[in-house]
Amino acid sequence: MPSITIFGATGHLARPVIDAFLAAGWAVRALVRDEAAARAKLPAVVQLVPGDLRDAAAVARALAGAECVYCNLSIRPGEKEGTDGWRWWIFEVKA
């Protein structure tokens, strides 16, 4: 079964993506900061990986075996690019 890892799985834009991949027979894994909140929002078949994007080990666990990634991240209002937003994360993951 193919698998996808979702970053930002509890966001509004990720849910249709999750539903589409599940309907197509994919295994879906999500890196989540709050397991209880994520479990309340996401289908029970989604595998939750506890952690944060700033934790390289958690990101590695979430990505293990995944064939693709959907990244639903944004920069919060007032947040500067390159500090705690998605651009910072992408540069860190590339390293």
Side-chain angles (χ1 to χ4, degrees):
M1 171 184 306
S3 65
I4 183 171
T5 296
I6 310 284
F7 295 120
T10 58
H12 295 289
L13 298 176
R15 184 55 190 266
V17 173
I18 291 169
D19 291 343
F21 273 95
L22 289 173
W26 285 59
V28 176
R29 181 181 307 133
L31 180 69
V32 299
R33 289 178 295 203
D34 184 336
E35 281 185 272
R39 182 51 59 215
K41 289 182 176 184
L42 301 174
V45 296
V46 173
Q47 178 189 358
L48 303 182
V49 177
D52 187 276
L53 286 171
R54 292 167 285 206
D55 177 353
V59 171
R61 284 192 308 275
L63 291 173
E67 285 145 291
C68 65
V69 174
Y70 176 76
C71 192
N72 179 41
L73 303 176
S74 63
I75 296 174
R76 294 180 204 102
E79 185 175 56
K80 294 179 182 174
E81 291 183 15
T83 56
D84 197 27
W86 63 271
R87 290 180 192 263
W88 169 87
W89 177 77
I90 289 171
F91 294 129
E92 290 297 314
V93 170
K94 285 176 146 179

